[in-house]
Amino acid sequence: MNYPFLPDRASDFADKMDPVFYILLGLTVLFTVLVLSFIFVLALRYRRGQNVNRKNPRHHNALLEMTWSVIPLILGLGVFVMAAIPYASVYHPPKNAIEIFVVGKRWMWHIQHANGARENNTLHIPVGKPIQLTMISQDVNHGFYVPAFRVKRDALPGRYNTMWFTPTKIGKFHLFCTEYCGTNHSEMIGSVYVQSPMDYAAWLANAGQEVEARHQSLETLGEVLYTQLACGTCHDKDGLGRGPTLTSLYGSKVMKKDGTSTIADDTYIRNSIFNPSDDIAAGYQQVMPSYKDQLTEEQILQVIAYIKSLNGSPPGARHLPNPGMSGTTGQKKSTGHGSISAPTQPAAAKTAEPSQQKKSGVDTMAPTDTLTAPKEATTAGKRI
Amino acid sequence: MSIQQAPAPDTYVKQESEPVKNYLNAEHTVASWLLTKDHKRIAVLYLISITFFFIIGGVAASLIRAELTSPHGRLFTNDSYNKLFSAHGIIMVFFFLVPSIPATIGNFIIPLMIGAKDLAFPRLNLLSWYLYTIAGGIALTAMIMGGVDTGWTFYTPYSSVYSNGQVVMTLIAVFIAGFSSIATGINFIVTIHKMRAPGLTWFRLPLFIWAHYATSVIIVLGTPVVAITLALVAVERVFPIGIFNPAQGGDPILFQHMFWFYSHPAVYIMILPSMGIISEVIANGSRKRIFGYELVAFSSLAIAGFGFLVWGHHMFVTGESVYLAMVFSLISFLVAVPSAIKVFNWTATIYKGNVTLHAPMMYALGFIGLFTIGGLTGLFLASLAVDVHLNMTYFVVAHFHYVMVGGAIFGFMAGLHFWWPKITGRLYNELWAKIAAGIIFLGFNLTFFPQFVLGYLGMPRRYHYYPPEFQAWNILSTAGASVLGVGYLIPAVYLSLSLIYGKKASANPWNAVGLEWQTASPPPTENFEDIPIVTWEAYDYTMLPDVESDLDYSSLENEGSVSGVPAGGVK
């Protein structure tokens, strides 16, 4: 068995972060050795009984004390800046990033690719391409962590978080859950497969062989849900229904009844489906029921993908985000910001039955449930 | 020699017919202990209680380390393992570390150090111990009734909705323990303000007092926040009110903000009193005034102040605002400065000192080394990009054990040994104490240093299944924990034995300055026959003759030669 001393380094973020780590390591070793040697030498030299000069002991020295206050301060500020720059870049994914959706639930990682390929506890990505992960949790807090990439972000219930990185090395790497999530937390582990672009393309086209994949894109799946749930009864194409139209909604500015406005991003749309009374569009009445108990987090992502496609792109065409599409570019930005600002969900949801909140969602990992009509049985998991 | 003798410190000379009354032999009934208002007796009660909880937390730690020798989790089920690390964290943090130094050594020594007859509110002090005991009892009951699996951090919505352990009962226990802390904190603040002996100005105070003052401010300002936060978790769990659960309109991140607003400063509640002890011990071990007294005193206050503004560094990967993260990171770096000042000033104190490497001094020097490593590795976690990788891994576990065990417990051991003769009136076996200090130092490093490597490799905390390539480091860590366990057992033995067989201590066995050494060991119930008047600066070792301490044992032959500080001053 091989017991490594250093972890794999397999992403651009790791290349940016490791130097800061080693600078800190160097400073730590330097100061520790310095302090320990001083203690050792001084304690021996001035031991009781040693015949050394103890005349004129000093009890303070402003210059000396200033020196050893300012030097750590300057070094600290330097490290702060070096570490802050790569961190801030995580908040700005490049426009050509491949977007993949991650749903954490006790105790597995569920991954959806844009073309509808789905996998559990594995993630297949191509080397050398920026990858953007948009993640959410169906139950408690989870943490998505790939040590070889040095990246980690919490998958939280009720809000989307994003992170991005570019894998630089082909191989298989550990995927861990780092936010404690209950009984099987330490079994919520998986593998990230970084593949050559050719292998990745083959995997993506053919994903059904090794994972539960669907050859239907997220938009198509979302459209099926849209039809099944009869969303179009109110949200019709021309805006003549009881609710506002969803055409060209994504990424646009929505005027709300209370006079404020917001950008219709992933978080906004998700919240409007789960908690419709939170934000009511100007000119409309609050008549929509909550779909909280009828849609899983995966299905919500599919519905959002469909709503995005209503901005003009034909369903199924959007395998990779297209910078030319206003909706998609808007989505890039707003998702990034969505991870910053929490969706505030005030009073509206208070009416929810507490018993309904205690679902674990463990049963929803069956891959077929997102295609069929929402069934209570699929979500009414037992409370673990 | 112009030094007066301490007033009949003990009954070493056997022909004296009647033993001198002290706080231990003043009364012997059980009620006289359980209803005592004497801060010294309450400190002893606290010492017994926290030792009990330390043993329970330590047993949990041993089981955790035993489990981690295998990557397949062979000893415990998932639930049992989760309950074990939760029990370890909850007991060690809330029932050992937070009260450890303030409620025992602080409680005993603060009034003696400032020349007071007791704390300002003796009844509140007793109430504090009862609250602590009740809270501890509830926490143990919760453990026996099934325990909790939330971790000591109680993150929502897991704790408030999903966990099915004894969450509410445990929350109530921590809630009550919080009030015991608050009572102690208020008591210290008022005592330090109002009950200093005549002449004992703020800048004549020992640094131990400054450290406890800063600690008390944190306790009084921070603890109510965590109390209300945990109460809200219980409310959400019991009633259909959404506070932290997003499915009910709550915000799980709100909990983390509120929790860390207390729980990061709580780290300073644990480490600042320890730093106070280190200042006392280094000054005595070097027989010299602490270098840069004022700066060391103010750095305690600076740590307390900055400590309230860094909680967000626990949340860099939650997706908090990038600007917020930068502010929290920057302030976290600023906290390093007062900590560094302390380390450098302690080191400089040794220069031109007259160094005795007695057991407390060994612990104190060990503290400086381990705290330096613990503090510097904290900077890794304050650095934004680096924290993204290390957050929630064993690197964090190693870091905070260097601060909590290498810092707080080494300080506690230094203080316990330093004031043991004062508390019990007995001398412990110095040779065994030095051996134990060495074993604890080695065992500690062997336990926790491999965890830094594990963390950088990416092993998440709270895992009992892990990839097999991490096994070697885990076995090394467990081996270290065994050494550490032996290291803790040795003091338990020789300190207990000293109560019966230990030589009687004089009033001032370390030949130290400080008002607590002017009164007998153990002190009389009222501490001082006459309230002393202070005319000298802190740590003025120039006014003491350079004699050997009691612990060289030769001096015991002519007991009277070791003496207290003159009440009137020598200069």
Side-chain angles (χ1 to χ4, degrees):
Chain A
M1 175 54 69
N2 177 30
Y3 297 112
F5 196 76
L6 299 174
D8 273 323
R9 185 193 299 176
S11 82
D12 65 330
F13 188 78
D15 293 336
K16 285 184 262 179
M17 173 284 207
D18 269 1
V20 188
F21 179 88
Y22 287 113
I23 288 170
L24 271 167
L25 189 62
L27 289 173
T28 301
V29 171
L30 176 75
F31 275 95
T32 308
V33 168
L34 203 71
V35 169
L36 288 182
S37 338
F38 265 105
I39 289 176
F40 198 70
V41 169
L42 290 175
L44 283 185
R45 181 173 162 78
Y46 293 101
R47 237 176 336 151
R48 170 183 298 278
Q50 294 288 101
N51 186 18
V52 286
N53 175 17
R54 294 194 176 87
K55 291 206 171 67
N56 303 321
R58 301 294 295 267
H59 297 299
H60 56 86
N61 180 332
L63 188 65
L64 194 60
E65 290 174 65
M66 192 61 81
T67 310
W68 67 46
S69 309
V70 170
I71 289 176
L73 180 65
I74 292 170
L75 289 174
L77 292 180
V79 175
F80 160 73
V81 172
M82 279 190 291
I85 291 167
Y87 177 83
S89 73
V90 175
Y91 284 82
H92 302 286
K95 291 199 168 106
N96 62 344
I98 299 173
E99 191 174 12
I100 298 172
F101 301 92
V102 177
V103 178
K105 47 184 156 184
R106 301 191 306 162
W107 290 274
M108 65 178 299
W109 293 107
H110 182 78
I111 316 273
Q112 297 189 93
H113 296 263
N115 77 336
R118 290 138 56 80
E119 46 187 334
N120 290 333
N121 292 332
T122 58
L123 170 64
H124 287 76
I125 44 176
V127 72
K129 295 268 170 54
I131 309 292
Q132 181 189 340
L133 300 180
T134 297
M135 52 185 77
I136 195 164
S137 162
Q138 190 162 296
D139 36 56
V140 300
N141 305 348
H142 299 284
F144 190 96
Y145 176 39
V146 184
F149 299 163
R150 313 283 189 275
V151 293
K152 180 185 292 130
R153 186 119 320 202
D154 286 353
L156 302 170
R159 72 175 72 187
Y160 292 104
N161 262 345
T162 62
M163 69 175 183
W164 74 275
F165 54 88
T166 305
T168 54
K169 203 167 139 183
I170 292 171
K172 178 186 174 187
F173 305 103
H174 290 303
L175 160 63
F176 295 127
C177 173
T178 49
E179 279 291 353
Y180 174 69
C181 56
T183 305
N184 297 335
H185 168 61
S186 59
E187 293 181 77
M188 192 166 161
I189 58 182
S191 299
V192 177
Y193 295 88
V194 180
Q195 299 173 303
S196 69
M198 265 177 64
D199 288 350
Y200 175 71
W203 178 86
L204 204 60
N206 213 348
Q209 288 182 359
E210 52 176 309
V211 289
E212 311 82 354
R214 297 285 153 187
H215 292 279
Q216 280 172 295
S217 67
L218 291 190
E219 290 96 319
T220 315
L221 294 169
E223 189 172 14
V224 170
L225 287 166
Y226 181 88
T227 313
Q228 280 173 351
L229 295 172
C231 307
T233 316
C234 298
H235 299 283
D236 66 11
K237 284 196 168 60
D238 309 314
L240 302 171
R242 286 195 292 173
T245 180
L246 304 179
T247 307
S248 298
L249 166 71
Y250 193 86
S252 67
K253 190 174 176 182
V254 177
M255 293 306 296
K256 291 192 284 191
K257 201 174 186 177
D258 59 10
T260 61
S261 68
T262 188
I263 299 293
D265 60 9
D266 301 51
T267 302
Y268 169 81
I269 294 175
R270 179 186 175 281
N271 193 45
S272 296
I273 297 170
F274 278 177
N275 304 302
S277 53
D278 279 6
D279 298 305
I280 299 161
Y284 293 92
Q285 294 299 313
Q286 191 340 70
V287 290
M288 179 171 158
S290 167
Y291 284 79
K292 195 181 293 188
D293 301 319
Q294 302 181 43
L295 288 169
T296 64
E297 294 293 351
E298 289 101 79
Q299 290 171 323
I300 279 283
L301 285 166
Q302 291 158 6
V303 171
I304 292 172
Y306 173 64
I307 293 172
K308 279 180 201 169
S309 74
L310 296 178
N311 280 25
S313 158
R318 187 185 157 275
H319 280 212
L320 298 182
N322 181 349
M325 240 153 56
S326 66
T328 313
T329 48
Q331 180 265 328
K332 285 278 168 274
K333 254 196 187 115
S334 54
T335 315
H337 287 280
S339 64
I340 294 168
S341 55
T344 46
Q345 307 175 347
K350 280 192 183 156
T351 50
E353 295 277 328
S355 61
Q356 291 175 328
Q357 313 313 322
K358 315 234 172 187
K359 286 169 188 162
S360 69
V362 284
D363 298 338
T364 59
M365 51 181 76
T368 48
D369 68 312
T370 53
L371 272 182
T372 56
K375 283 183 288 191
E376 272 307 304
T378 59
T379 47
K382 59 183 179 294
R383 190 177 166 204
I384 300 289
Chain B
M1 201 188 303
S2 63
I3 304 280
Q4 299 166 2
Q5 260 184 237
D10 47 51
T11 55
Y12 185 74
V13 187
K14 289 289 181 201
Q15 50 264 43
E16 277 187 34
S17 54
E18 203 178 311
V20 175
K21 284 284 180 194
N22 60 47
Y23 83 99
L24 288 171
N25 65 11
E27 284 180 279
H28 291 286
T29 59
V30 172
S32 75
W33 279 93
L34 293 183
L35 297 175
T36 182
K37 295 192 288 289
D38 183 349
H39 67 101
K40 299 182 289 299
R41 286 193 162 204
I42 295 169
V44 171
L45 291 175
Y46 254 120
L47 183 61
I48 295 166
S49 328
I50 66 154
T51 307
F52 172 73
F53 281 102
F54 180 74
I55 292 168
I56 295 179
V59 168
S62 327
L63 295 175
I64 290 169
R65 283 311 329 162
E67 171 79 342
L68 291 174
T69 51
S70 159
H72 309 297
R74 295 196 195 282
L75 296 179
F76 299 108
T77 63
N78 292 354
D79 277 329
S80 305
Y81 183 77
N82 295 342
K83 284 172 182 174
L84 263 182
F85 72 69
S86 303
H88 171 69
I90 291 166
I91 284 178
M92 285 301 201
V93 170
F94 297 111
F95 295 97
F96 176 72
L97 285 166
V98 167
S100 63
I101 295 174
T104 58
I105 300 173
N107 215 341
F108 196 101
I109 296 298
I110 287 175
L112 289 168
M113 235 177 201
I114 64 171
K117 288 185 185 296
D118 205 323
L119 286 174
F121 306 117
R123 285 181 184 81
L124 188 64
N125 198 15
L126 183 63
L127 175 69
S128 153
W129 180 73
Y130 273 102
L131 288 175
Y132 170 85
T133 311
I134 292 167
I138 295 173
L140 287 182
T141 311
M143 273 173 66
I144 292 163
M145 287 175 65
V148 279
D149 65 345
T150 58
W152 79 276
T153 47
F154 299 106
Y155 269 21
T156 55
Y158 184 72
S159 62
S160 62
V161 179
Y162 291 87
S163 168
N164 58 3
Q166 297 291 341
V167 180
V168 172
M169 200 189 274
T170 310
L171 290 172
I172 290 170
V174 175
F175 184 85
I176 296 173
F179 281 90
S180 124
S181 284
I182 295 171
T184 305
I186 290 174
N187 223 336
F188 285 177
I189 291 176
V190 176
T191 306
I192 294 168
H193 267 281
K194 304 301 289 183
M195 297 177 70
R196 285 170 284 129
L200 189 57
T201 60
W202 281 94
F203 287 99
R204 283 178 176 170
L205 284 173
L207 290 163
F208 183 82
I209 303 289
W210 278 99
H212 272 79
Y213 187 81
T215 306
S216 304
V217 170
I218 302 176
I219 289 176
V220 170
L221 294 180
T223 315
V225 178
V226 81
I228 201 69
T229 310
L230 298 181
L232 288 174
V233 173
V235 164
E236 180 168 275
R237 207 174 152 80
V238 176
F239 303 105
I241 299 172
I243 299 160
F244 304 121
N245 179 15
Q248 287 166 278
D251 184 349
I253 297 301
L254 176 65
F255 172 83
Q256 295 184 26
H257 280 291
M258 292 170 75
F259 180 80
W260 289 116
F261 180 81
Y262 164 79
S263 293
H264 191 80
V267 174
Y268 302 111
I269 293 177
M270 303 169 203
I271 194 74
L272 276 171
S274 197
M275 291 169 157
I277 289 175
I278 301 308
S279 293
E280 299 303 309
V281 172
I282 296 261
N284 175 262
S286 312
R287 310 205 64 73
K288 208 163 146 280
R289 180 178 164 84
I290 290 288
F291 187 86
Y293 168 97
E294 288 83 2
L295 207 55
V296 175
F298 281 126
S299 66
S300 287
L301 297 182
I303 289 173
F306 281 133
F308 272 111
L309 304 172
V310 299
W311 78 88
H313 69 209
H314 295 268
M315 300 161 61
F316 287 158
V317 297
T318 57
E320 68 181 347
S321 148
V322 63
Y323 304 107
L324 197 60
M326 285 192 184
V327 171
F328 280 127
S329 171
L330 183 65
I331 302 175
S332 304
F333 273 97
L334 296 183
V335 183
V337 175
S339 309
I341 288 172
K342 279 180 187 279
V343 166
F344 294 140
N345 282 27
W346 287 324
T347 309
T349 303
I350 307 172
Y351 177 65
K352 293 201 171 181
N354 197 354
V355 179
T356 313
L357 284 176
H358 47 54
M361 187 68 171
M362 286 181 65
Y363 279 112
L365 296 182
F367 171 100
I368 298 179
L370 299 181
F371 177 73
T372 303
I373 296 175
L376 285 166
T377 50
L379 293 184
F380 288 67
L381 302 170
S383 306
L384 288 164
V386 182
D387 180 72
V388 169
H389 175 50
L390 298 175
N391 188 298
M392 292 289 169
T393 67
Y394 260 83
F395 192 94
V396 176
V397 176
H399 155 70
F400 71 71
H401 280 89
Y402 264 79
V403 178
M404 301 289 86
V405 184
I409 294 187
F410 269 62
F412 178 73
M413 293 298 273
L416 190 65
H417 284 79
F418 191 57
W419 284 296
W420 185 261
K422 181 57 61 185
I423 295 171
T424 64
R426 303 284 185 158
L427 299 177
Y428 55 83
N429 186 311
E430 179 71 6
L431 178 66
W432 276 107
K434 286 182 180 178
I435 292 171
I439 292 176
I440 290 176
F441 185 82
L442 285 179
F444 170 81
N445 280 297
L446 190 55
T447 308
F448 293 106
F449 196 84
Q451 297 184 5
F452 282 125
V453 182
L454 278 173
Y456 185 53
L457 284 171
M459 177 163 165
R461 63 192 290 201
R462 297 171 173 179
Y463 264 38
H464 75 135
Y465 293 110
Y466 55 84
E469 67 259 30
F470 297 157
Q471 191 177 11
W473 298 105
N474 273 300
I475 288 177
L476 209 56
S477 177
T478 302
S482 319
V483 177
L484 189 58
V486 172
Y488 285 139
L489 286 178
I490 298 172
V493 173
Y494 67 73
L495 288 179
S496 307
L497 289 179
S498 79
L499 294 176
I500 306 160
Y501 302 107
K503 295 200 165 93
K504 296 212 170 178
S506 70
N508 190 359
W510 306 106
N511 196 21
V513 294
L515 289 178
E516 78 268 32
W517 304 109
Q518 288 195 22
T519 188
S521 303
T525 302
E526 68 280 10
N527 290 351
F528 299 94
E529 282 175 18
D530 303 301
I531 292 296
I533 297 168
V534 179
T535 56
W536 58 88
E537 303 301 315
Y539 311 114
D540 191 354
Y541 272 91
T542 55
M543 66 184 182
L544 277 183
D546 181 26
V547 294
E548 299 287 310
S549 70
D550 267 13
L551 296 163
D552 294 287
Y553 301 124
S554 55
S555 63
L556 282 172
E557 305 304 322
N558 45 352
E559 169 76 11
S561 72
V562 177
S563 59
V565 178
V570 200
K571 290 195 265 187

